[in-house]
Amino acid sequence: MYREPLEPPGLSRAVIEWGAYLAVLVFTALLIANFVWSERRLIKASETARMELQARIIEESLAHQFQGVRNALESARNAAADEKHCNADCERLLLQSLKRAMPGVRAIVLLNAEGRIARSADDIEDRHLDDRDFLSQIARMYSRNVLYVSQPFENTPGVFNIKLSMPVMAPDGRIEGAVSAILNPEYFDAVMRSALYADDMNSAITGEDGRRLLFVPANAAEMRHPADGGDDFLRRHLSGGNVVSVITGADPGGERRMVVQRTVTQGELGLDKTFVISLSRSVERINAGWHEPAHSYFAMWIVFGLLGALALWLIQRRRRIAHELACQREARHIEITERMELAVSGANLGLWDWHIPSDVRRVDARSNAILGYAPECQFDAPGEWRSLVNPEHMDALDHALRLHLADSSHSFEAEYQMRHKDGDWVWIQCRGKLVQRDAQGRPLRMVGTRMDISARKEAEEEIARLAYYDGLTNLPNRRLLLDRLGQAVARCGRGGYHGAVIFVDLDNFKSLNDTMGHDMGDRLLELVALRLKQVTREVDTVARLGGDEFVVLLEDLGTSAEEAEANAEFVCRKILASLNAGYSMDGYEVRSTPSLGVVLFGDGRHTVNDLLRQADMAMYEAKAAGRNTFRFFSPDMQDVLDQIAMLETDLRHALVRRELLLHYQPIVNGDGSLAGVEALMRWQHPRRGLVYPGAFISQAEKSGLIVEFGEWALETACEQLVAWSRDAATEPLTIAVNVSARQFRQPEFTQRVLHILERTGANPRRLKLELTESMLLTDVDDLIRKMSQLKERGVGFSLDDFGTGYSSLSYLKKLPLDQLKIDRSFVQDMLLTPHASSIVRTIVSLAQSMGLQVVAEGVETAEQWAALRKIGCATFQGYLFGKPAAVEDIAAQFILRGEHHGRLPRQPQLALVSPLAGA
């Protein structure tokens, strides 16, 4: 080392200079230390505040989503509770709407008390989302206002689901089930991941019991096992009692980490658990924020010291620093270039550079890789790049380029096909921008990117195919059929020829599905579709509407209606012959017959919906004719349909307009005295006059109005019982009211009857409900249960038209009946045929042996009455004693004969609910 000569005169000055320089070094060292210490505190405080803010954001997002789920569950629960206004289809539609409205919800289901799915947001009922451990806790959901959160359950390895549930309670507090939302783990993973701004961070939502609700980055081991007692961070946070805590310590792996934990403030969420949101960072990575400047300042201090001590080294260091700065700039440039390269490579983008005057375009290696060429390959002859573009797309591409070159304020973008090296066409998305013009403003250079979008185009084509074709049979679906049918109608109208629509429905397809399984049913539908295509022309359309319903669209069947009808009939016979042949499936020989409905079009104005509806009506005519045949649509079918629609419309206004009324037919004892009456419904139509039940009850059954009519009849009869109870002469009388099978099967039937009795104040012992033998064919246990509940309150039951239907003696023994009514057909024939007489005797004997009362219906002659009394029948009903009449006429006929001279109160007309089929 060069050392200056020591000169005595300069020794003290040198010492002072070095002393002063050392003092400067010490002072600057103290300044640097203070600055680094302040930087350390600032970085830690900033990091803590940022993590607390992220935890707060996660909490607000979680609270917002949970509140949305709570609102959705309450809406679903309210709809499930209101069965009168929201049926199963309504509930399913509501669940689907709620699910679509909430991106964080994977599925919404309605569960019964046993944890089985009663209703779901889709058709497969989401059974794979069940969490059996949590479902077993439904019975312990004590509050309807609490949102119960399940433990994470793993249906698919590595995918954890969380279920939020609210109980569905009956008015008496009994739990009837629950409505649950299964949260989408990917949605919440994205929410949590958005809070991670450093690669050493992790976040979690943990219950106070230590079980993880969510852990990001994904860690299946953390999710499967709850944190044990070694989780010192959670224990210290909970023991501190603060909402937010910042704790630094070693994790189980020995790494020192800073953990910000925040207890979720429930607010109005009403959760059944307490959760803690935690964000964690490595202490070493946090400290790196101030270690780096500390090291830099220390190096600068050393450099400053060396520069101050050695003037020669100052020049060398300045040169060295200049060189190092240049290297840093180069390294930074290389780093930026590498980042851009990684970004472009990650996005699978190829680069191109187009010299516009020469029409030469050069590309990079990725652009060549997209088309299968070597990295160094270049199609750089003027205009040569155009040979790779699909000629069908070249005009559109040139047009887009001209528009961009004319106005380059917006980026250029186009999608077209280019030829791959193997000869296939590859869909390319091309983007670019004009970057250079000459002095006259003419475009010189344009750069951009290209990307292979073939997969996206294939997906779009598949989506379009699924939108217009049936997924099972690959036939056109209803949407495409309507489009083609509309075009066919228009072409027929212009061309003056006829076409036909054939509606094909498989007979007894549901039975095959039930007996052999849906897989066999699907296979049968595929074979049916294949045969329909085989017996039709290529220009014809074979479509599947859904289920076992197909439609065949035939065009150009002839210029006259007769010729078109003959051709359509020929096709129908081909279809019948083809579909009647057996189907060999998995070793089984299956046979299925079709019913065909045909409608012609072409000689008038038609709408596609009218044609489909008319073909459907013709198909039902074919079914009514014995099935396995075809029928052409005729205007008479439309007239019948219009009459049915008009009748149903009038029926819907009958209650509102108070057009319904009850007539009463006497039921007498053996001495002819009045024992009671049977209430029979009549309809006082404003145009048709008095209409008897046979003309409207069947349509009321089909439309569901029978339930409302029946409840109205029951309400009106109870009002009449109350009116009769005010007079001693009429107080013992009973009223029998017919109950339809559909009305009786209503889940709330028993409660409605009891409510009517309570509201009207009628004596239940004076009310008899008449049932038909057809009710014994299905769900007898439910029938007995409802009858027993009403029987306990005093309501009597009568089995109407006994002997004409199916009455198993074992069921008859179990039913809590009071009365059997012999059908009128046996009574009218008993004096004419020994067979009918024997049946009547048997029924009377059977009833007496079972302690039941017997009522003979249809008694019209004194001889029938005498014969019935002779064999032991004690109660009678028929025209011999009186036809069904208004209550005033019954009073005049029977009660005013005796000592009672008052008149019965007029029957009140109530617009309530329900009809019953009477005679």
Side-chain angles (χ1 to χ4, degrees):
M1 177 182 293
Y2 172 81
R3 188 183 298 272
E4 291 184 355
L6 297 179
E7 296 180 2
L11 181 60
S12 58
R13 183 177 179 181
V15 170
I16 294 173
E17 289 176 351
W18 281 105
Y21 185 66
L22 289 174
V24 171
L25 288 179
V26 171
F27 179 74
T28 53
L30 292 175
L31 289 177
I32 291 173
N34 181 66
F35 179 81
V36 170
W37 180 256
S38 300
E39 185 72 7
R40 175 182 177 277
R41 288 190 304 168
L42 181 63
I43 289 175
K44 183 176 181 180
S46 175
E47 188 67 23
T48 300
R50 187 175 184 182
M51 293 173 71
E52 289 178 353
L53 177 61
Q54 295 297 92
R56 177 61 179 171
I57 292 173
I58 293 175
E59 180 192 24
E60 292 177 354
S61 177
L62 189 67
H64 176 74
Q65 183 66 18
F66 277 17
Q67 186 61 46
V69 172
R70 166 181 280 274
N71 295 337
L73 294 182
E74 288 180 346
S75 298
R77 181 171 63 182
N78 293 339
D82 190 3
E83 297 180 357
K84 182 176 180 181
H85 294 91
C86 190
N87 57 20
D89 292 337
C90 168
E91 291 175 2
R92 185 173 289 106
L93 181 59
L94 175 61
L95 294 179
Q96 293 172 350
S97 300
L98 294 173
K99 174 184 173 183
R100 287 194 297 267
M102 304 190 66
V105 174
R106 181 177 181 184
I108 300 180
V109 295
L110 285 172
L111 307 172
N112 59 24
E114 290 77 25
R116 294 187 178 92
I117 296 176
R119 204 82 63 234
S120 170
D122 54 39
D123 292 334
I124 62 174
E125 297 185 351
D126 289 321
R127 296 191 181 278
H128 57 286
L129 297 179
D130 281 350
D131 174 21
R132 296 299 178 189
D133 293 336
F134 182 70
L135 293 179
S136 64
Q137 303 177 16
I138 291 178
R140 297 193 293 272
M141 294 181 181
Y142 61 90
S143 174
R144 63 182 285 111
N145 295 321
V146 174
L147 189 62
Y148 292 89
V149 185
S150 73
Q151 296 291 359
F153 57 96
E154 188 177 11
N155 292 111
T156 304
V159 179
F160 294 86
N161 298 281
I162 304 164
K163 183 177 292 183
L164 303 182
S165 303
M166 297 185 74
V168 177
M169 294 184 175
D172 57 359
R174 177 171 48 85
I175 295 178
E176 295 181 336
V179 55
S180 300
I182 296 90
L183 303 186
N184 188 338
E186 297 179 357
Y187 176 85
F188 287 91
D189 183 84
V191 173
M192 296 288 288
R193 193 175 296 277
S194 65
L196 306 183
Y197 54 86
D199 57 0
D200 65 308
M201 289 186 71
N202 61 52
S203 63
I205 300 177
T206 311
E208 58 185 350
D209 59 352
R211 184 63 186 260
R212 302 293 191 196
L213 194 66
L214 193 64
F215 193 92
V216 178
N219 189 323
E222 286 281 348
M223 294 296 297
R224 291 192 185 107
H225 304 291
D228 55 19
D231 189 354
D232 186 63
F233 298 104
L234 179 64
R235 187 176 64 252
R236 289 166 62 185
H237 170 73
L238 294 176
S239 63
N242 297 322
V243 175
V244 180
S245 66
V246 181
I247 301 173
T248 301
D251 63 7
E255 181 184 14
R256 287 189 57 78
R257 301 187 70 84
M258 184 176 77
V259 182
V260 174
Q261 300 177 94
R262 182 182 186 89
T263 301
V264 176
T265 56
Q266 295 191 16
E268 297 181 359
L269 295 181
L271 302 177
D272 66 327
K273 297 180 179 65
T274 298
F275 297 103
V276 176
I277 300 171
S278 62
L279 290 173
S280 170
R281 279 207 69 183
S282 169
V283 173
E284 181 180 354
R285 293 290 298 276
I286 295 174
N287 289 339
W290 64 270
H291 282 171
E292 184 176 352
H295 294 160
S296 300
Y297 295 145
F298 179 74
M300 291 173 63
W301 183 78
I302 293 298
V303 170
F304 175 76
L306 293 176
L307 290 176
L310 302 172
L312 180 61
W313 283 20
L314 178 61
I315 298 174
Q316 296 176 348
R317 185 162 181 79
R318 288 180 62 185
R319 294 174 181 171
R320 189 166 61 250
I321 289 175
H323 176 70
E324 289 178 356
L325 289 176
C327 291
Q328 290 178 5
R329 285 193 296 270
E330 181 65 21
R332 185 174 300 173
H333 176 72
I334 294 173
E335 181 182 0
I336 293 174
T337 303
E338 289 177 348
R339 288 181 180 178
M340 290 182 62
E341 182 73 14
L342 288 174
V344 173
S345 177
N348 196 25
L349 295 176
L351 303 178
W352 52 266
D353 190 328
W354 181 31
H355 187 257
I356 300 173
S358 62
D359 198 18
V360 172
R361 180 179 288 189
R362 299 188 63 81
V363 297
D364 66 348
R366 276 185 302 275
S367 289
N368 281 330
I370 290 175
L371 298 180
Y373 293 101
E376 66 279 1
C377 182
Q378 294 290 336
F379 296 89
D380 52 4
E384 187 179 6
W385 64 274
R386 298 175 180 271
S387 64
L388 299 177
V389 179
N390 190 331
E392 297 179 359
H393 300 168
M394 196 66 240
D395 291 342
L397 176 59
D398 282 337
H399 178 69
L401 287 171
R402 284 194 300 270
L403 291 179
H404 176 71
L405 296 178
D407 179 12
S408 58
S409 58
H410 301 287
S411 297
F412 161 77
E413 181 174 345
E415 295 180 359
Y416 52 90
Q417 288 181 325
M418 297 188 74
R419 182 182 291 107
H420 195 272
K421 184 179 181 181
D422 58 12
D424 296 332
W425 292 110
V426 178
W427 274 101
I428 298 295
Q429 183 185 63
C430 185
R431 293 174 177 171
K433 191 171 181 63
L434 183 67
V435 295
Q436 187 177 359
R437 293 181 182 271
D438 62 11
Q440 289 74 33
R442 291 173 296 189
L444 291 179
R445 183 166 171 255
M446 187 174 175
V447 297
T449 63
R450 70 168 58 151
M451 180 172 65
D452 183 357
I453 59 170
S454 299
R456 194 196 80 190
K457 285 293 186 178
E458 291 177 359
E460 291 175 352
E461 292 177 0
E462 178 65 14
I463 291 172
R465 190 190 69 81
L466 293 176
Y468 290 99
Y469 289 88
D470 177 56
L472 176 65
T473 62
N474 206 31
L475 294 178
N477 59 15
R478 183 184 185 90
R479 184 177 181 182
L480 183 55
L481 171 67
L482 293 176
D483 180 68
R484 290 187 180 179
L485 181 54
Q487 295 179 17
V489 170
R491 284 193 296 268
C492 287
R494 292 191 301 267
Y497 56 86
H498 291 74
V501 175
I502 304 177
F503 199 104
V504 182
D505 184 88
L506 302 183
D507 301 328
N508 302 317
F509 177 76
K510 184 179 184 300
S511 299
L512 183 142
N513 253 354
D514 294 339
T515 56
M516 304 189 69
H518 290 276
D519 291 341
M520 294 286 281
D522 290 346
R523 177 61 180 153
L524 176 62
L525 293 175
E526 291 175 348
L527 293 176
V528 169
L530 178 62
R531 292 187 181 183
L532 288 175
K533 293 182 70 174
Q534 289 174 345
V535 298
T536 54
R537 304 167 299 179
E538 291 186 2
V539 295
D540 299 328
T541 297
V542 179
R544 182 187 177 208
L545 289 188
D548 61 336
E549 295 178 342
F550 297 85
V551 170
V552 179
L553 171 61
L554 306 175
E555 296 188 58
D556 196 10
L557 295 180
T559 57
S560 66
E562 293 77 11
E563 182 184 3
E565 182 175 349
N567 289 329
E569 181 177 347
F570 176 73
V571 175
C572 288
R573 296 192 184 279
K574 288 176 61 179
I575 292 174
L576 288 173
S578 177
L579 298 189
N580 270 276
Y583 302 86
S584 179
M585 296 187 296
D586 297 338
Y588 294 95
E589 182 71 15
V590 178
R591 291 189 177 273
S592 178
T593 61
S595 295
L596 312 182
V598 189
V599 61
L600 301 177
F601 62 88
D603 56 353
R605 296 179 61 86
H606 306 279
T607 66
V608 293
N609 290 327
D610 286 343
L611 290 175
L612 289 178
R613 186 174 67 254
Q614 291 166 359
D616 186 49
M617 282 191 289
M619 181 272 295
Y620 278 107
E621 286 293 321
K623 284 188 178 291
R627 309 189 179 200
N628 196 23
T629 185
F630 63 90
R631 287 291 183 271
F632 280 84
F633 173 79
S634 66
D636 294 339
M637 298 179 188
Q638 185 67 48
D639 294 340
V640 172
L641 186 65
D642 293 341
Q643 291 175 8
I644 292 174
M646 184 180 300
L647 176 60
E648 183 173 338
T649 301
D650 288 345
L651 282 174
R652 294 189 181 277
H653 293 92
L655 276 176
V656 178
R657 296 171 180 171
R658 300 190 177 185
E659 295 171 359
L660 296 180
L661 52 90
L662 290 184
H663 280 187
Y664 301 91
Q665 185 173 25
I667 300 175
V668 302
N669 296 316
D671 58 358
S673 61
L674 185 63
V677 296
E678 180 181 356
L680 302 173
M681 187 171 297
R682 300 292 184 264
W683 180 13
Q684 189 64 48
H685 195 278
R687 296 184 303 277
R688 299 165 59 186
L690 191 64
V691 182
Y692 289 87
F696 66 88
I697 285 299
S698 61
Q699 185 59 34
E701 286 273 7
K702 294 178 183 177
S703 63
L705 291 172
I706 192 71
V707 178
E708 299 180 11
F709 284 17
E711 290 193 9
W712 172 86
L714 187 60
E715 180 95 15
T716 304
C718 288
E719 292 285 348
Q720 188 59 59
L721 285 175
V722 173
W724 281 349
S725 68
R726 300 189 184 105
D727 194 304
T730 56
E731 191 276 334
L733 298 180
T734 63
I735 296 181
V737 180
N738 292 278
V739 177
S740 72
R742 186 164 187 169
Q743 181 185 4
F744 201 93
R745 292 192 188 103
Q746 296 295 312
E748 67 279 4
F749 173 76
T750 302
Q751 291 75 17
R752 289 187 177 182
V753 173
L754 296 176
H755 180 65
I756 289 173
L757 289 170
E758 181 180 356
R759 187 170 65 249
T760 60
N763 185 353
R765 301 187 182 278
R766 299 287 180 261
L767 177 65
K768 289 186 184 299
L769 300 182
E770 291 196 3
L771 311 179
T772 60
E773 290 184 87
S774 62
M775 295 186 185
L776 304 181
L777 297 177
T778 58
D779 205 355
V780 178
D781 293 336
D782 181 66
L783 177 71
I784 295 174
R785 179 181 59 82
K786 292 179 179 177
M787 291 177 64
S788 299
Q789 292 175 352
L790 293 174
K791 185 73 173 178
E792 291 175 358
R793 299 295 185 93
V795 178
F797 287 92
S798 175
L799 191 58
D800 198 12
D801 300 332
F802 183 74
T804 60
Y806 171 79
S807 295
S808 170
L809 293 180
S810 61
Y811 287 150
L812 197 62
K813 179 180 64 176
K814 296 177 182 179
L815 294 174
L817 293 171
D818 300 280
Q819 189 180 81
L820 296 180
K821 300 188 76 172
I822 305 174
D823 185 68
R824 67 182 65 245
S825 62
F826 300 128
V827 174
Q828 292 173 356
D829 293 342
M830 65 178 294
L831 299 180
L832 304 176
T833 64
H835 179 69
S837 178
S838 298
I839 292 177
V840 173
R841 291 175 183 273
T842 302
I843 294 175
V844 173
S845 177
L846 174 64
Q848 290 174 349
S849 66
M850 298 183 68
L852 300 177
Q853 184 185 10
V854 180
V855 178
E857 292 186 298
V859 180
E860 298 182 358
T861 66
E863 290 79 5
Q864 292 172 349
W865 186 20
L868 288 166
R869 284 187 295 177
K870 185 176 180 180
I871 63 176
C873 185
T875 313
F876 312 91
Q877 180 180 352
Y879 286 177
L880 178 63
F881 314 104
K883 295 183 178 181
V887 65
E888 295 86 353
D889 298 332
I890 299 296
Q893 183 178 357
F894 283 91
I895 301 173
L896 295 184
R897 294 179 188 170
E899 298 178 357
H900 180 73
H901 299 289
R903 291 190 61 83
L904 292 173
R906 293 186 62 85
Q907 171 190 357
Q909 299 293 316
L910 302 178
L912 294 176
V913 279
S914 174
L916 286 180

